[in-house]
Amino acid sequence: MPDGAMTAQPDLAANLDTVRARIAAAEIAAGRAPGSVTLVAVSKTHGAEAVAAALAAGQVVFGENRVQEAAGKFPALRPANPGLRLHLIGPLQTNKAREAMQVADVIETLDRQKLAAAIAAERDRTQRCPDLLVQVNVGREPQKAGIDPDETEAFVAACRGSLALPVTGLMCIPPVEDDPRPHFAWLAAAARRLGLAVVSMGMSGDFEAAIAEGATHVRVGSAIFGARPAPAAPIIPA
Ligand SMILES: *Cc1c(COP(=O)(O)O)cnc(C)c1O
């Protein structure tokens, strides 16, 4: 399997331009202010060379799924790129909270009380905390991370209240088989009700729909960096 970073790099600046143009067009079509949507370039599985190429093309906001992978790629890039902002967008184990908070500027996947408590404890210890988004399981999928939609308001209140966590928005990944638009509309409305400024939704296949429904952040991977290597096939016993 060739390194995705090496295969993706020649097209990367052009892909970025295309995605930026599509975002700008979607902002205009939705009557949104130009530049009101932040592009989070999702670099998971692609090497530090691909991230460096995106930085050279003016991209400074990135998303990664895994703490370990992010910690391997990003700290070395920070001194030369003080504007760099890293969002963690993958499910976060409680025992990885400390490392996640060291590596990330934004954690988009706060989704349960135990993780909130771990983050608050680490914040108390270090006196610093990334911005936090609450991930909502908008499709109520049993296998998917995220707080139940019905519990979102109470959970956000608890995080902002007694724990005093810097929750700035909501994030979702709608079910792949659904029309995402009702889910996007629900998330944007919930954020508005809760007075939360950030709405992270939309990926390569549906970011224009997300912008139409009020996304402030879209998380785009393959449309920028190219296809990711498929996960290894499970070994099925004969
Ligand atoms: C991988 C990933 C993305 C980007 O997906 P693409 O379809 O490659 O754009 C966005 N959000 C999350 C949470 C992801 O895991």
Side-chain angles (χ1 to χ4, degrees):
M1 181 66 70
D3 180 358
M6 290 164 75
T7 54
Q9 272 179 75
D11 300 326
L12 204 146
N15 291 348
L16 257 175
D17 280 347
T18 302
V19 170
R20 285 174 181 145
R22 287 172 60 188
I23 289 171
E27 287 171 341
I28 290 167
R32 311 265 314 268
S36 55
V37 176
T38 299
L39 171 60
V40 180
V42 178
S43 51
K44 66 189 182 196
T45 77
H46 298 283
E49 315 77 34
V51 175
L55 281 163
Q59 179 65 30
V60 291
V61 186
F62 293 88
E64 285 283 341
N65 263 42
R66 295 167 183 275
V67 177
Q68 219 63 47
E69 187 179 341
K73 272 186 239 176
F74 281 86
L77 296 167
R78 286 196 187 269
N81 300 281
L84 195 157
R85 300 268 295 164
L86 178 62
H87 292 226
L88 272 181
I89 61 172
L92 183 56
Q93 289 173 256
T94 303
N95 64 8
K96 298 260 177 68
R98 174 173 297 184
E99 201 179 359
M101 291 168 72
Q102 287 164 355
V103 78
D105 301 289
V106 181
I107 294 175
E108 297 205 8
T109 50
L110 173 57
D111 65 351
R112 59 197 190 279
Q113 184 57 41
K114 203 176 158 205
L115 180 59
I119 290 173
E122 183 64 8
R123 182 270 325 270
D124 291 346
R125 195 181 70 85
T126 62
Q127 297 300 310
R128 69 166 291 281
C129 192
D131 286 343
L132 303 170
L133 308 187
V134 168
Q135 181 176 0
V136 184
N137 187 358
V138 287
R140 296 188 167 88
E141 296 171 279
Q143 81 285 6
K144 202 169 264 177
I147 195 102
D148 186 275
D150 294 335
E151 292 164 18
T152 302
E153 193 167 337
F155 181 65
V156 168
C159 290
R160 288 158 127 184
S162 54
L163 293 176
L165 289 174
V167 175
T168 59
L170 302 179
M171 175 271 212
C172 77
I173 311 167
V176 279
E177 67 279 7
D178 283 9
D179 174 0
R181 288 190 71 134
H183 297 295
F184 291 156
W186 186 92
L187 197 77
R192 214 176 304 123
R193 268 199 315 276
L194 293 165
L196 295 169
V198 177
V199 184
S200 172
M201 56 190 190
M203 321 203 310
S204 290
D206 57 14
F207 67 84
E208 281 128 330
I211 291 168
E213 298 296 342
T216 64
H217 289 64
V218 293
R219 309 177 307 267
V220 179
S222 47
I224 298 169
F225 293 99
R228 290 179 291 273
I235 297 160
I236 299 159

